[in-house]
Amino acid sequence: MTDNEKQDRESGLTLNPKYDSNGLITAVVTDVSSGDVLMVAFMNAEALDLTLKTDVAHFYSRSRQALWKKGETSGNILDVVEVRIDCDQDALWVKAKPAGPTCHTGTTSCFYRKVKNGQLESIA
Amino acid sequence: MTDNEKQDRESGLTLNPKYDSNGLITAVVTDVSSGDVLMVAFMNAEALDLTLKTDVAHFYSRSRQALWKKGETSGNILDVVEVRIDCDQDALWVKAKPAGPTCHTGTTSCFYRKVKNGQLESIA
């Protein structure tokens, strides 16, 4: 990548996601009301396209190697309010309204434990 | 990974980060005051260890292939208030107090543009 390309990506207004070698980009989802980080997952170009077109979060499941509409089975979809992209366009920030618990374990957020003294502690 | 290992990782209280094939784990940093996502980067085991020991965010720079103390040059360090880990322990959420603008472009957050109608728009 030349310096010009780098600068265009950083300061330009063209959406030009930098997918990794597997065609994926990291997506961080926060709850637009609480600001809490709900989950971190990956999107491929198709998932991002569908997310932007439908305002419902879609991801790419690496384990299933398939497009994944979050909540398709559980009903706990993520209504997308805003999508941001970072300076070098290799990460997305999705602000969403969750229809229910985001984590497959049943918790509001996948981040239900904090690190304390080298161990984990459940968030009250 | 067996089902038991998966369950231990999800419900246990042992810190057992699932590093990728490059030895890295995704770290999302939010501002503990505003709740905004400031940046997304990677940590290796050494960076996570230093972050936990010093309460100052350290990362691993893929471009420079080196440990990276955020703010070492600029002074804009990230004081760590809390570190959380997600269900399958392959992502970290770092809540921090930033000493200054987090992005190397000079903005508070690396996420200074939102996607609108297939284009980017600067955040006011």
PDB file of all heavy atoms in Angstrom, chain B residues 76-114:
ATOM      1  N   ASN B  76       0.094   9.910  24.901  1.00  0.00           N
ATOM      2  CA  ASN B  76      -1.337   9.629  25.046  1.00  0.00           C
ATOM      3  C   ASN B  76      -1.580   8.181  25.453  1.00  0.00           C
ATOM      4  O   ASN B  76      -2.098   7.370  24.680  1.00  0.00           O
ATOM      5  CB  ASN B  76      -2.086   9.963  23.750  1.00  0.00           C
ATOM      6  CG  ASN B  76      -1.986  11.440  23.421  1.00  0.00           C
ATOM      7  OD1 ASN B  76      -1.961  12.280  24.329  1.00  0.00           O
ATOM      8  ND2 ASN B  76      -1.911  11.768  22.146  1.00  0.00           N
ATOM      9  N   ILE B  77      -1.194   7.893  26.676  1.00  0.00           N
ATOM     10  CA  ILE B  77      -1.363   6.537  27.176  1.00  0.00           C
ATOM     11  C   ILE B  77      -2.825   6.274  27.534  1.00  0.00           C
ATOM     12  O   ILE B  77      -3.636   7.200  27.603  1.00  0.00           O
ATOM     13  CB  ILE B  77      -0.469   6.268  28.411  1.00  0.00           C
ATOM     14  CG1 ILE B  77      -0.887   7.181  29.578  1.00  0.00           C
ATOM     15  CG2 ILE B  77       0.985   6.437  28.085  1.00  0.00           C
ATOM     16  CD1 ILE B  77      -0.328   6.696  30.906  1.00  0.00           C
ATOM     17  N   LEU B  78      -3.123   5.019  27.761  1.00  0.00           N
ATOM     18  CA  LEU B  78      -4.463   4.604  28.170  1.00  0.00           C
ATOM     19  C   LEU B  78      -4.363   3.965  29.556  1.00  0.00           C
ATOM     20  O   LEU B  78      -3.805   2.876  29.688  1.00  0.00           O
ATOM     21  CB  LEU B  78      -5.030   3.590  27.164  1.00  0.00           C
ATOM     22  CG  LEU B  78      -5.303   4.115  25.747  1.00  0.00           C
ATOM     23  CD1 LEU B  78      -5.469   2.960  24.768  1.00  0.00           C
ATOM     24  CD2 LEU B  78      -6.549   4.996  25.730  1.00  0.00           C
ATOM     25  N   ASP B  79      -4.882   4.655  30.549  1.00  0.00           N
ATOM     26  CA  ASP B  79      -4.907   4.095  31.904  1.00  0.00           C
ATOM     27  C   ASP B  79      -6.057   3.100  32.001  1.00  0.00           C
ATOM     28  O   ASP B  79      -7.218   3.458  31.798  1.00  0.00           O
ATOM     29  CB  ASP B  79      -5.095   5.217  32.937  1.00  0.00           C
ATOM     30  CG  ASP B  79      -3.780   5.873  33.304  1.00  0.00           C
ATOM     31  OD1 ASP B  79      -2.807   5.148  33.556  1.00  0.00           O
ATOM     32  OD2 ASP B  79      -3.738   7.114  33.320  1.00  0.00           O
ATOM     33  N   VAL B  80      -5.731   1.881  32.344  1.00  0.00           N
ATOM     34  CA  VAL B  80      -6.721   0.807  32.316  1.00  0.00           C
ATOM     35  C   VAL B  80      -7.502   0.745  33.631  1.00  0.00           C
ATOM     36  O   VAL B  80      -6.922   0.673  34.709  1.00  0.00           O
ATOM     37  CB  VAL B  80      -6.024  -0.543  32.046  1.00  0.00           C
ATOM     38  CG1 VAL B  80      -7.011  -1.698  32.163  1.00  0.00           C
ATOM     39  CG2 VAL B  80      -5.381  -0.516  30.667  1.00  0.00           C
ATOM     40  N   VAL B  81      -8.823   0.784  33.496  1.00  0.00           N
ATOM     41  CA  VAL B  81      -9.699   0.731  34.661  1.00  0.00           C
ATOM     42  C   VAL B  81     -10.226  -0.693  34.874  1.00  0.00           C
ATOM     43  O   VAL B  81     -10.334  -1.166  35.995  1.00  0.00           O
ATOM     44  CB  VAL B  81     -10.876   1.722  34.492  1.00  0.00           C
ATOM     45  CG1 VAL B  81     -11.851   1.614  35.643  1.00  0.00           C
ATOM     46  CG2 VAL B  81     -10.345   3.144  34.351  1.00  0.00           C
ATOM     47  N   GLU B  82     -10.527  -1.354  33.760  1.00  0.00           N
ATOM     48  CA  GLU B  82     -11.072  -2.722  33.858  1.00  0.00           C
ATOM     49  C   GLU B  82     -10.783  -3.466  32.559  1.00  0.00           C
ATOM     50  O   GLU B  82     -10.792  -2.863  31.489  1.00  0.00           O
ATOM     51  CB  GLU B  82     -12.587  -2.653  34.099  1.00  0.00           C
ATOM     52  CG  GLU B  82     -13.245  -3.995  34.393  1.00  0.00           C
ATOM     53  CD  GLU B  82     -14.749  -3.838  34.658  1.00  0.00           C
ATOM     54  OE1 GLU B  82     -15.116  -3.279  35.706  1.00  0.00           O
ATOM     55  OE2 GLU B  82     -15.554  -4.260  33.809  1.00  0.00           O
ATOM     56  N   VAL B  83     -10.517  -4.752  32.685  1.00  0.00           N
ATOM     57  CA  VAL B  83     -10.360  -5.600  31.500  1.00  0.00           C
ATOM     58  C   VAL B  83     -11.378  -6.726  31.592  1.00  0.00           C
ATOM     59  O   VAL B  83     -11.439  -7.445  32.592  1.00  0.00           O
ATOM     60  CB  VAL B  83      -8.942  -6.208  31.416  1.00  0.00           C
ATOM     61  CG1 VAL B  83      -8.830  -7.155  30.227  1.00  0.00           C
ATOM     62  CG2 VAL B  83      -7.890  -5.108  31.321  1.00  0.00           C
ATOM     63  N   ARG B  84     -12.175  -6.855  30.546  1.00  0.00           N
ATOM     64  CA  ARG B  84     -13.124  -7.979  30.487  1.00  0.00           C
ATOM     65  C   ARG B  84     -12.745  -8.909  29.347  1.00  0.00           C
ATOM     66  O   ARG B  84     -12.038  -8.519  28.416  1.00  0.00           O
ATOM     67  CB  ARG B  84     -14.546  -7.461  30.253  1.00  0.00           C
ATOM     68  CG  ARG B  84     -15.089  -6.647  31.424  1.00  0.00           C
ATOM     69  CD  ARG B  84     -16.587  -6.596  31.353  1.00  0.00           C
ATOM     70  NE  ARG B  84     -17.176  -5.641  32.261  1.00  0.00           N
ATOM     71  CZ  ARG B  84     -18.481  -5.428  32.359  1.00  0.00           C
ATOM     72  NH1 ARG B  84     -19.329  -6.090  31.587  1.00  0.00           N
ATOM     73  NH2 ARG B  84     -18.957  -4.541  33.215  1.00  0.00           N
ATOM     74  N   ILE B  85     -13.254 -10.119  29.424  1.00  0.00           N
ATOM     75  CA  ILE B  85     -13.003 -11.083  28.345  1.00  0.00           C
ATOM     76  C   ILE B  85     -14.330 -11.691  27.945  1.00  0.00           C
ATOM     77  O   ILE B  85     -15.252 -11.787  28.762  1.00  0.00           O
ATOM     78  CB  ILE B  85     -11.958 -12.142  28.798  1.00  0.00           C
ATOM     79  CG1 ILE B  85     -11.362 -12.886  27.588  1.00  0.00           C
ATOM     80  CG2 ILE B  85     -12.562 -13.127  29.816  1.00  0.00           C
ATOM     81  CD1 ILE B  85     -10.012 -13.521  27.865  1.00  0.00           C
ATOM     82  N   ASP B  86     -14.446 -12.080  26.682  1.00  0.00           N
ATOM     83  CA  ASP B  86     -15.762 -12.543  26.221  1.00  0.00           C
ATOM     84  C   ASP B  86     -15.939 -14.051  26.422  1.00  0.00           C
ATOM     85  O   ASP B  86     -15.057 -14.748  26.935  1.00  0.00           O
ATOM     86  CB  ASP B  86     -16.036 -12.102  24.780  1.00  0.00           C
ATOM     87  CG  ASP B  86     -15.248 -12.879  23.755  1.00  0.00           C
ATOM     88  OD1 ASP B  86     -14.276 -13.571  24.133  1.00  0.00           O
ATOM     89  OD2 ASP B  86     -15.585 -12.801  22.555  1.00  0.00           O
ATOM     90  N   CYS B  87     -17.118 -14.540  26.047  1.00  0.00           N
ATOM     91  CA  CYS B  87     -17.530 -15.911  26.336  1.00  0.00           C
ATOM     92  C   CYS B  87     -16.476 -16.945  25.931  1.00  0.00           C
ATOM     93  O   CYS B  87     -16.120 -17.806  26.732  1.00  0.00           O
ATOM     94  CB  CYS B  87     -18.881 -16.224  25.685  1.00  0.00           C
ATOM     95  SG  CYS B  87     -19.033 -15.704  23.960  1.00  0.00           S
ATOM     96  N   ASP B  88     -16.000 -16.874  24.704  1.00  0.00           N
ATOM     97  CA  ASP B  88     -15.031 -17.890  24.263  1.00  0.00           C
ATOM     98  C   ASP B  88     -13.576 -17.425  24.431  1.00  0.00           C
ATOM     99  O   ASP B  88     -12.655 -18.083  23.927  1.00  0.00           O
ATOM    100  CB  ASP B  88     -15.317 -18.362  22.832  1.00  0.00           C
ATOM    101  CG  ASP B  88     -15.356 -17.220  21.845  1.00  0.00           C
ATOM    102  OD1 ASP B  88     -15.217 -16.055  22.267  1.00  0.00           O
ATOM    103  OD2 ASP B  88     -15.519 -17.478  20.638  1.00  0.00           O
ATOM    104  N   GLN B  89     -13.420 -16.340  25.162  1.00  0.00           N
ATOM    105  CA  GLN B  89     -12.088 -15.833  25.525  1.00  0.00           C
ATOM    106  C   GLN B  89     -11.183 -15.559  24.314  1.00  0.00           C
ATOM    107  O   GLN B  89      -9.974 -15.782  24.375  1.00  0.00           O
ATOM    108  CB  GLN B  89     -11.390 -16.762  26.545  1.00  0.00           C
ATOM    109  CG  GLN B  89     -12.169 -16.899  27.851  1.00  0.00           C
ATOM    110  CD  GLN B  89     -11.321 -17.280  29.047  1.00  0.00           C
ATOM    111  OE1 GLN B  89     -10.168 -16.914  29.153  1.00  0.00           O
ATOM    112  NE2 GLN B  89     -11.913 -18.025  29.996  1.00  0.00           N
ATOM    113  N   ASP B  90     -11.807 -15.052  23.238  1.00  0.00           N
ATOM    114  CA  ASP B  90     -10.976 -14.647  22.106  1.00  0.00           C
ATOM    115  C   ASP B  90     -11.084 -13.153  21.816  1.00  0.00           C
ATOM    116  O   ASP B  90     -10.678 -12.701  20.732  1.00  0.00           O
ATOM    117  CB  ASP B  90     -11.261 -15.486  20.849  1.00  0.00           C
ATOM    118  CG  ASP B  90     -12.619 -15.220  20.250  1.00  0.00           C
ATOM    119  OD1 ASP B  90     -13.419 -14.464  20.857  1.00  0.00           O
ATOM    120  OD2 ASP B  90     -12.895 -15.757  19.167  1.00  0.00           O
ATOM    121  N   ALA B  91     -11.620 -12.392  22.773  1.00  0.00           N
ATOM    122  CA  ALA B  91     -11.663 -10.933  22.627  1.00  0.00           C
ATOM    123  C   ALA B  91     -11.650 -10.299  24.009  1.00  0.00           C
ATOM    124  O   ALA B  91     -12.218 -10.839  24.961  1.00  0.00           O
ATOM    125  CB  ALA B  91     -12.911 -10.508  21.859  1.00  0.00           C
ATOM    126  N   LEU B  92     -10.978  -9.145  24.089  1.00  0.00           N
ATOM    127  CA  LEU B  92     -10.872  -8.401  25.342  1.00  0.00           C
ATOM    128  C   LEU B  92     -11.574  -7.056  25.197  1.00  0.00           C
ATOM    129  O   LEU B  92     -11.550  -6.456  24.126  1.00  0.00           O
ATOM    130  CB  LEU B  92      -9.395  -8.140  25.684  1.00  0.00           C
ATOM    131  CG  LEU B  92      -8.525  -9.370  25.917  1.00  0.00           C
ATOM    132  CD1 LEU B  92      -7.050  -8.999  25.796  1.00  0.00           C
ATOM    133  CD2 LEU B  92      -8.819  -9.970  27.286  1.00  0.00           C
ATOM    134  N   TRP B  93     -12.176  -6.616  26.283  1.00  0.00           N
ATOM    135  CA  TRP B  93     -12.751  -5.284  26.343  1.00  0.00           C
ATOM    136  C   TRP B  93     -12.008  -4.533  27.436  1.00  0.00           C
ATOM    137  O   TRP B  93     -12.099  -4.898  28.612  1.00  0.00           O
ATOM    138  CB  TRP B  93     -14.243  -5.371  26.636  1.00  0.00           C
ATOM    139  CG  TRP B  93     -14.925  -4.054  26.930  1.00  0.00           C
ATOM    140  CD1 TRP B  93     -14.442  -2.798  26.721  1.00  0.00           C
ATOM    141  CD2 TRP B  93     -16.237  -3.884  27.498  1.00  0.00           C
ATOM    142  NE1 TRP B  93     -15.376  -1.861  27.115  1.00  0.00           N
ATOM    143  CE2 TRP B  93     -16.486  -2.498  27.597  1.00  0.00           C
ATOM    144  CE3 TRP B  93     -17.222  -4.774  27.923  1.00  0.00           C
ATOM    145  CZ2 TRP B  93     -17.671  -1.986  28.107  1.00  0.00           C
ATOM    146  CZ3 TRP B  93     -18.407  -4.261  28.446  1.00  0.00           C
ATOM    147  CH2 TRP B  93     -18.628  -2.880  28.514  1.00  0.00           C
ATOM    148  N   VAL B  94     -11.275  -3.493  27.028  1.00  0.00           N
ATOM    149  CA  VAL B  94     -10.473  -2.700  27.955  1.00  0.00           C
ATOM    150  C   VAL B  94     -11.171  -1.359  28.185  1.00  0.00           C
ATOM    151  O   VAL B  94     -11.343  -0.578  27.245  1.00  0.00           O
ATOM    152  CB  VAL B  94      -9.061  -2.464  27.370  1.00  0.00           C
ATOM    153  CG1 VAL B  94      -8.233  -1.590  28.295  1.00  0.00           C
ATOM    154  CG2 VAL B  94      -8.370  -3.789  27.091  1.00  0.00           C
ATOM    155  N   LYS B  95     -11.581  -1.117  29.421  1.00  0.00           N
ATOM    156  CA  LYS B  95     -12.142   0.194  29.758  1.00  0.00           C
ATOM    157  C   LYS B  95     -10.996   1.056  30.266  1.00  0.00           C
ATOM    158  O   LYS B  95     -10.275   0.652  31.186  1.00  0.00           O
ATOM    159  CB  LYS B  95     -13.197   0.071  30.851  1.00  0.00           C
ATOM    160  CG  LYS B  95     -14.401  -0.781  30.463  1.00  0.00           C
ATOM    161  CD  LYS B  95     -15.473  -0.664  31.542  1.00  0.00           C
ATOM    162  CE  LYS B  95     -16.585  -1.662  31.330  1.00  0.00           C
ATOM    163  NZ  LYS B  95     -17.726  -1.448  32.241  1.00  0.00           N
ATOM    164  N   ALA B  96     -10.831   2.223  29.674  1.00  0.00           N
ATOM    165  CA  ALA B  96      -9.650   3.027  29.981  1.00  0.00           C
ATOM    166  C   ALA B  96      -9.957   4.512  30.102  1.00  0.00           C
ATOM    167  O   ALA B  96     -10.992   4.989  29.631  1.00  0.00           O
ATOM    168  CB  ALA B  96      -8.601   2.820  28.889  1.00  0.00           C
ATOM    169  N   LYS B  97      -9.020   5.195  30.774  1.00  0.00           N
ATOM    170  CA  LYS B  97      -9.034   6.662  30.812  1.00  0.00           C
ATOM    171  C   LYS B  97      -7.928   7.121  29.885  1.00  0.00           C
ATOM    172  O   LYS B  97      -6.737   6.959  30.198  1.00  0.00           O
ATOM    173  CB  LYS B  97      -8.734   7.162  32.230  1.00  0.00           C
ATOM    174  CG  LYS B  97      -9.874   7.036  33.205  1.00  0.00           C
ATOM    175  CD  LYS B  97      -9.512   7.706  34.537  1.00  0.00           C
ATOM    176  CE  LYS B  97     -10.454   7.253  35.624  1.00  0.00           C
ATOM    177  NZ  LYS B  97     -10.025   7.619  36.986  1.00  0.00           N
ATOM    178  N   PRO B  98      -8.274   7.717  28.742  1.00  0.00           N
ATOM    179  CA  PRO B  98      -7.232   8.157  27.804  1.00  0.00           C
ATOM    180  C   PRO B  98      -6.595   9.466  28.269  1.00  0.00           C
ATOM    181  O   PRO B  98      -7.291  10.373  28.714  1.00  0.00           O
ATOM    182  CB  PRO B  98      -8.009   8.358  26.497  1.00  0.00           C
ATOM    183  CG  PRO B  98      -9.412   8.645  26.912  1.00  0.00           C
ATOM    184  CD  PRO B  98      -9.635   7.951  28.232  1.00  0.00           C
ATOM    185  N   ALA B  99      -5.274   9.551  28.150  1.00  0.00           N
ATOM    186  CA  ALA B  99      -4.555  10.763  28.556  1.00  0.00           C
ATOM    187  C   ALA B  99      -4.654  11.860  27.507  1.00  0.00           C
ATOM    188  O   ALA B  99      -4.306  13.013  27.770  1.00  0.00           O
ATOM    189  CB  ALA B  99      -3.091  10.438  28.822  1.00  0.00           C
ATOM    190  N   GLY B 100      -5.126  11.493  26.322  1.00  0.00           N
ATOM    191  CA  GLY B 100      -5.237  12.454  25.223  1.00  0.00           C
ATOM    192  C   GLY B 100      -5.947  11.777  24.069  1.00  0.00           C
ATOM    193  O   GLY B 100      -6.558  10.728  24.260  1.00  0.00           O
ATOM    194  N   PRO B 101      -5.879  12.369  22.886  1.00  0.00           N
ATOM    195  CA  PRO B 101      -6.503  11.736  21.722  1.00  0.00           C
ATOM    196  C   PRO B 101      -5.927  10.333  21.520  1.00  0.00           C
ATOM    197  O   PRO B 101      -4.708  10.168  21.611  1.00  0.00           O
ATOM    198  CB  PRO B 101      -6.103  12.645  20.556  1.00  0.00           C
ATOM    199  CG  PRO B 101      -5.711  13.942  21.178  1.00  0.00           C
ATOM    200  CD  PRO B 101      -5.165  13.602  22.521  1.00  0.00           C
ATOM    201  N   THR B 102      -6.774   9.364  21.275  1.00  0.00           N
ATOM    202  CA  THR B 102      -6.285   7.994  21.113  1.00  0.00           C
ATOM    203  C   THR B 102      -5.741   7.740  19.715  1.00  0.00           C
ATOM    204  O   THR B 102      -4.756   7.033  19.544  1.00  0.00           O
ATOM    205  CB  THR B 102      -7.418   6.996  21.430  1.00  0.00           C
ATOM    206  OG1 THR B 102      -7.759   7.128  22.814  1.00  0.00           O
ATOM    207  CG2 THR B 102      -6.987   5.571  21.150  1.00  0.00           C
ATOM    208  N   CYS B 103      -6.363   8.329  18.712  1.00  0.00           N
ATOM    209  CA  CYS B 103      -5.976   8.003  17.325  1.00  0.00           C
ATOM    210  C   CYS B 103      -4.721   8.761  16.907  1.00  0.00           C
ATOM    211  O   CYS B 103      -4.527   9.919  17.275  1.00  0.00           O
ATOM    212  CB  CYS B 103      -7.124   8.332  16.377  1.00  0.00           C
ATOM    213  SG  CYS B 103      -6.848   7.705  14.709  1.00  0.00           S
ATOM    214  N   HIS B 104      -3.902   8.088  16.107  1.00  0.00           N
ATOM    215  CA  HIS B 104      -2.675   8.725  15.607  1.00  0.00           C
ATOM    216  C   HIS B 104      -2.985   9.896  14.678  1.00  0.00           C
ATOM    217  O   HIS B 104      -2.129  10.710  14.379  1.00  0.00           O
ATOM    218  CB  HIS B 104      -1.795   7.697  14.878  1.00  0.00           C
ATOM    219  CG  HIS B 104      -2.330   7.294  13.545  1.00  0.00           C
ATOM    220  ND1 HIS B 104      -3.433   6.473  13.396  1.00  0.00           N
ATOM    221  CD2 HIS B 104      -1.959   7.630  12.288  1.00  0.00           C
ATOM    222  CE1 HIS B 104      -3.675   6.305  12.113  1.00  0.00           C
ATOM    223  NE2 HIS B 104      -2.808   6.988  11.433  1.00  0.00           N
ATOM    224  N   THR B 105      -4.256   9.987  14.214  1.00  0.00           N
ATOM    225  CA  THR B 105      -4.658  11.114  13.362  1.00  0.00           C
ATOM    226  C   THR B 105      -4.985  12.351  14.201  1.00  0.00           C
ATOM    227  O   THR B 105      -5.264  13.406  13.653  1.00  0.00           O
ATOM    228  CB  THR B 105      -5.892  10.748  12.517  1.00  0.00           C
ATOM    229  OG1 THR B 105      -6.990  10.479  13.422  1.00  0.00           O
ATOM    230  CG2 THR B 105      -5.650   9.524  11.664  1.00  0.00           C
ATOM    231  N   GLY B 106      -5.016  12.182  15.510  1.00  0.00           N
ATOM    232  CA  GLY B 106      -5.266  13.321  16.391  1.00  0.00           C
ATOM    233  C   GLY B 106      -6.686  13.399  16.921  1.00  0.00           C
ATOM    234  O   GLY B 106      -7.017  14.275  17.711  1.00  0.00           O
ATOM    235  N   THR B 107      -7.541  12.462  16.476  1.00  0.00           N
ATOM    236  CA  THR B 107      -8.923  12.460  16.938  1.00  0.00           C
ATOM    237  C   THR B 107      -9.053  11.663  18.253  1.00  0.00           C
ATOM    238  O   THR B 107      -8.235  10.793  18.546  1.00  0.00           O
ATOM    239  CB  THR B 107      -9.868  11.847  15.885  1.00  0.00           C
ATOM    240  OG1 THR B 107      -9.375  10.560  15.538  1.00  0.00           O
ATOM    241  CG2 THR B 107      -9.924  12.717  14.631  1.00  0.00           C
ATOM    242  N   THR B 108     -10.090  12.003  19.002  1.00  0.00           N
ATOM    243  CA  THR B 108     -10.356  11.339  20.277  1.00  0.00           C
ATOM    244  C   THR B 108     -10.434   9.831  20.097  1.00  0.00           C
ATOM    245  O   THR B 108      -9.861   9.069  20.862  1.00  0.00           O
ATOM    246  CB  THR B 108     -11.698  11.839  20.850  1.00  0.00           C
ATOM    247  OG1 THR B 108     -11.666  13.267  20.881  1.00  0.00           O
ATOM    248  CG2 THR B 108     -11.939  11.286  22.233  1.00  0.00           C
ATOM    249  N   SER B 109     -11.192   9.418  19.094  1.00  0.00           N
ATOM    250  CA  SER B 109     -11.384   7.995  18.788  1.00  0.00           C
ATOM    251  C   SER B 109     -10.930   7.718  17.371  1.00  0.00           C
ATOM    252  O   SER B 109     -10.972   8.601  16.507  1.00  0.00           O
ATOM    253  CB  SER B 109     -12.875   7.648  18.925  1.00  0.00           C
ATOM    254  OG  SER B 109     -13.176   6.443  18.247  1.00  0.00           O
ATOM    255  N   CYS B 110     -10.503   6.466  17.120  1.00  0.00           N
ATOM    256  CA  CYS B 110     -10.188   6.071  15.745  1.00  0.00           C
ATOM    257  C   CYS B 110     -11.457   5.988  14.885  1.00  0.00           C
ATOM    258  O   CYS B 110     -11.383   5.982  13.656  1.00  0.00           O
ATOM    259  CB  CYS B 110      -9.492   4.709  15.748  1.00  0.00           C
ATOM    260  SG  CYS B 110      -7.846   4.765  16.476  1.00  0.00           S
ATOM    261  N   PHE B 111     -12.594   5.934  15.550  1.00  0.00           N
ATOM    262  CA  PHE B 111     -13.865   5.781  14.811  1.00  0.00           C
ATOM    263  C   PHE B 111     -14.500   7.150  14.599  1.00  0.00           C
ATOM    264  O   PHE B 111     -15.518   7.481  15.195  1.00  0.00           O
ATOM    265  CB  PHE B 111     -14.792   4.836  15.566  1.00  0.00           C
ATOM    266  CG  PHE B 111     -14.302   3.423  15.619  1.00  0.00           C
ATOM    267  CD1 PHE B 111     -13.412   3.009  16.598  1.00  0.00           C
ATOM    268  CD2 PHE B 111     -14.699   2.496  14.657  1.00  0.00           C
ATOM    269  CE1 PHE B 111     -12.937   1.704  16.636  1.00  0.00           C
ATOM    270  CE2 PHE B 111     -14.235   1.189  14.686  1.00  0.00           C
ATOM    271  CZ  PHE B 111     -13.350   0.789  15.674  1.00  0.00           C
ATOM    272  N   TYR B 112     -13.899   7.955  13.730  1.00  0.00           N
ATOM    273  CA  TYR B 112     -14.339   9.339  13.508  1.00  0.00           C
ATOM    274  C   TYR B 112     -15.203   9.489  12.254  1.00  0.00           C
ATOM    275  O   TYR B 112     -15.530  10.582  11.860  1.00  0.00           O
ATOM    276  CB  TYR B 112     -13.131  10.292  13.463  1.00  0.00           C
ATOM    277  CG  TYR B 112     -12.012   9.839  12.558  1.00  0.00           C
ATOM    278  CD1 TYR B 112     -12.048  10.053  11.185  1.00  0.00           C
ATOM    279  CD2 TYR B 112     -10.905   9.172  13.089  1.00  0.00           C
ATOM    280  CE1 TYR B 112     -11.029   9.629  10.363  1.00  0.00           C
ATOM    281  CE2 TYR B 112      -9.871   8.747  12.286  1.00  0.00           C
ATOM    282  CZ  TYR B 112      -9.928   8.983  10.912  1.00  0.00           C
ATOM    283  OH  TYR B 112      -8.917   8.549  10.098  1.00  0.00           O
ATOM    284  N   ARG B 113     -15.562   8.347  11.646  1.00  0.00           N
ATOM    285  CA  ARG B 113     -16.436   8.395  10.463  1.00  0.00           C
ATOM    286  C   ARG B 113     -17.522   7.326  10.575  1.00  0.00           C
ATOM    287  O   ARG B 113     -17.264   6.217  11.037  1.00  0.00           O
ATOM    288  CB  ARG B 113     -15.616   8.144   9.180  1.00  0.00           C
ATOM    289  CG  ARG B 113     -14.641   9.254   8.855  1.00  0.00           C
ATOM    290  CD  ARG B 113     -13.665   8.849   7.771  1.00  0.00           C
ATOM    291  NE  ARG B 113     -12.838   7.711   8.217  1.00  0.00           N
ATOM    292  CZ  ARG B 113     -11.872   7.160   7.496  1.00  0.00           C
ATOM    293  NH1 ARG B 113     -11.586   7.632   6.295  1.00  0.00           N
ATOM    294  NH2 ARG B 113     -11.193   6.142   7.969  1.00  0.00           N
ATOM    295  N   LYS B 114     -18.723   7.697  10.139  1.00  0.00           N
ATOM    296  CA  LYS B 114     -19.804   6.708  10.100  1.00  0.00           C
ATOM    297  C   LYS B 114     -20.177   6.421   8.652  1.00  0.00           C
ATOM    298  O   LYS B 114     -19.924   7.232   7.752  1.00  0.00           O
ATOM    299  CB  LYS B 114     -21.008   7.195  10.889  1.00  0.00           C
ATOM    300  CG  LYS B 114     -21.700   8.423  10.353  1.00  0.00           C
ATOM    301  CD  LYS B 114     -22.903   8.767  11.233  1.00  0.00           C
ATOM    302  CE  LYS B 114     -23.535  10.079  10.799  1.00  0.00           C
ATOM    303  NZ  LYS B 114     -24.624  10.502  11.689  1.00  0.00           N
TER     304      LYS B 114
END
